[in-house]
Structures are given as C-alpha cells and as structure tokens.
Amino acid sequence: MSSTRTEALVGTLRQHGWRVTSARRAVIAALVEAEGHMTADQLAEKVQSNQPDVHLSTVYRTLEALEQVGLVDHTHLGHGRAVYHLADDPHQHLVCDGCGAVIEVPDDTFTSLADTLRRSHGFTIRPSHFAVLGRCAACNQGQASG
Amino acid sequence: MSSTRTEALVGTLRQHGWRVTSARRAVIAALVEAEGHMTADQLAEKVQSNQPDVHLSTVYRTLEALEQVGLVDHTHLGHGRAVYHLADDPHQHLVCDGCGAVIEVPDDTFTSLADTLRRSHGFTIRPSHFAVLGRCAACNQGQASG
DNA sequence: CTGCTTGCAAATAGTTTGCACGTTC
DNA sequence: GAACGTGCAAACTATTTGCAAGCAG
C-alpha cells in the first residue's frame, strides 16, 4: 500500500520545518501513486479529483517545497512543460521527437558520459535533471525522409 | 569574411523555396556573426541595431524557417529560453546550475552514450539538441554544502 | 495565538498567431 | 499580380506572486 510511503514523505517534509496540510499530503500521495513523471497540471488534476479546492498554484508551491527538501526532482522535457517525480528513484528521460514518447532509463546509463565530462571539463553532470531528445525505436522503423 | 557564408546560407534558404527578404538576411547574418548560441531576443536586438523595424516575431518565424531547412538548431538551456545556432557546427551545451555558464563541447563527446542507447533501447539521440545540466569546474571548487 | 499556507486573480516570460499591408518572384 | 512575408498587438502556455483569509503547530 502506498499510504505508508506517503506518510514517510510527509514526515520528512515536517522534519524539515514545513507545515503539513491536506493539500500537501494530497500532492505527495499523487506523486506516490503516479510512480513516474507527471506535469504539475496532471498532478493538480489528480489531486482535485479528491479535493477540488486545491489550486494549481498550490501544487506548484508544494512541488517547490518538496524539491527544496530533496524529495522531488523535476526535468524539462524539451518543450516547456516540466515533469516531476520522487527523487529516490533516480532515472533519466529519453524523449522522442517523433511521437513524444518518454522512456525512462536508469541513472547509471550516463556514468561513462559523466566520467568523460568530469575528466575533460571538470564538469559534474546533475543526475536526473535533463532529458535527452532523439527518436525512439518505433519512430526509427517507420521513418521516411522527413 | 562572413558575408560569403551568409550568402551561401541565404542561397540554401532560397533553394528550399523560401523567399529571401532583408529581415531574413539580417537574421542569418546575425547568426553567422554570433558564432555561438544566441537567444531569439539577442538575435532580434542584434538585427534591430541595423534594421529597427524587424520585429521579434519575425525573428522567431525566420528561425523556424531556418530550422525546417536544416540550417539552424535550437536547444533548451533548462529554464525556458531556447538558444539557436547554425547547424553545421554540431555541439552540445553544458549548463552550470551554479553560475549559469554555458560550455560547448564537441558532438563526439556523446558518441558512446549514443551507442549505448541505440543498442539498449533502439533510441537514436538527436545531435545538438539537448543541454546537460550540472556544475562547472569553477563552481565545484568553490562548493560548500548547499 | 502566530505566522506559514492557500485560493484567487493578475503578472510574467517566452513564444505563437490573426490580420491587413508590403514585398518577392 | 499572386502568394508569401512582415509588423503589431493580442493570445497562449507554463509558472510565479501579492494579498486577505484559513489553518497547523
């Protein structure tokens, strides 16, 4: 059951000095149930199915709080909208230019790239914080010349 | 001199069926002179120093045309604004979370990552089309705990 | 009680679009 | 001279913020 997980996250939030409200609890629950990336909009919609009063701006503010505490990460998927997910499942996103599909790949796929960049430029990449654009297997197969 | 280069690009644009106007020529010239990434806003400013009438929206429309023809690529540097550059100098961008610095690295830095993703997911990454967030050498050295 | 949180609406930032007029081919 | 391109303003999308009222601690 996911409510145990939700309570743990809520507890962490409280330990960091943030107040626990029903809106925040609902956003966290939505993230737990989502088990993947969701936009702020999608999260708001999900939360509002139980608590219609919770406003989109509250969702944004809650997500910001959760990011500051380190419980949530967000990624930009190329075209403006950001997706949010719980930080304890670090992964990267591959976004298909053709069909918009989002593929999640484990964090360690990028280990060698991280290593290369650190050695060549002293640059440490930030895990779980960028999306890679390209073309997915399906779109590569059905690909014409455009 | 770069005007030769500008004319070549203008010619390519025309060959693809687009009309050549002074606004479009100016945007292309600005890109050639920039020799790096620029936002639409910066390009507009540069163009307007010679031709004040050229509107920002025209710059956007020209950039869109140039992208369709394949002369220009754009990348999102994490926080909303896109940067544009000529497509025949493929490179990736490293963006520092700390100081906002943008480091350009050659395309082939990502060859092994591209190879890995193609084999594991059939996913072909799109060159010059994503930014990698992280922390640059300078910020890593002056780094405290937060 | 104190002051962090919230809902709302309006502001912001970056980009796109409708329209009537100007320009290119 | 027909169709495409342009300037302008207004729309749009994603996100942020000011403020008075609400609720957690």
Side-chain angles (χ1 to χ4, degrees), chain A residues 18-19 21 23-24 53-55 57-58 61:
Chain A
W18 299 84
R19 292 192 179 169
T21 65
R24 287 184 179 162
D53 281 342
V54 176
H55 199 271
S57 64
T58 299
R61 283 189 271 223

Side-chain angles (χ1 to χ4, degrees), chain A residues 39-59:
Chain A
T39 64
D41 208 52
Q42 291 171 328
L43 284 169
E45 204 173 335
K46 190 158 189 164
V47 167
Q48 285 163 0
S49 67
N50 291 326
Q51 306 189 41
D53 281 342
V54 176
H55 199 271
L56 177 59
S57 64
T58 299
V59 173

Side-chain angles (χ1 to χ4, degrees), chain A residues 1-11 32:
Chain A
M1 216 169 180
S2 40
S3 51
T4 307
R5 189 144 163 54
T6 301
E7 286 313 310
L9 293 164
V10 164
V32 169

Side-chain angles (χ1 to χ4, degrees), chain B residues 29-90:
Chain B
L31 279 166
V32 169
E33 284 164 32
E35 292 188 20
H37 48 267
M38 295 194 67
T39 64
D41 209 51
Q42 291 171 329
L43 284 168
E45 203 174 335
K46 189 159 191 163
V47 167
Q48 284 163 359
S49 67
N50 291 327
Q51 306 189 40
D53 281 342
V54 177
H55 199 271
L56 177 59
S57 64
T58 299
V59 173
Y60 275 112
R61 282 188 272 224
T62 299
L63 287 170
E64 197 187 325
L66 291 169
E67 284 204 76
Q68 277 186 37
V69 173
L71 295 177
V72 161
D73 253 329
H74 82 279
T75 307
H76 294 274
L77 295 189
H79 212 145
R81 57 185 172 184
V83 293
Y84 298 80
H85 60 79
L86 293 174
D88 52 6
D89 172 31

Side-chain angles (χ1 to χ4, degrees), chain B residues 12-31:
Chain B
T12 302
L13 189 62
R14 191 190 332 253
Q15 279 165 32
H16 281 258
W18 300 84
R19 293 191 180 170
V20 174
T21 66
S22 63
R24 286 183 178 164
R25 200 183 291 268
V27 171
I28 291 172
L31 279 166

Side-chain angles (χ1 to χ4, degrees), chain A residues 2 5 18 27 29 58 61 65 71 92 95 98 105-106 108 118 120 124 129 135:
Chain A
S2 40
R5 189 144 163 54
W18 299 84
V27 171
T58 299
R61 283 189 271 223
L71 295 178
Q92 315 286 102
V95 181
V105 296
D108 62 5
R118 170 152 38 208
S120 61
T124 53
H129 228 76
R135 208 158 262 266

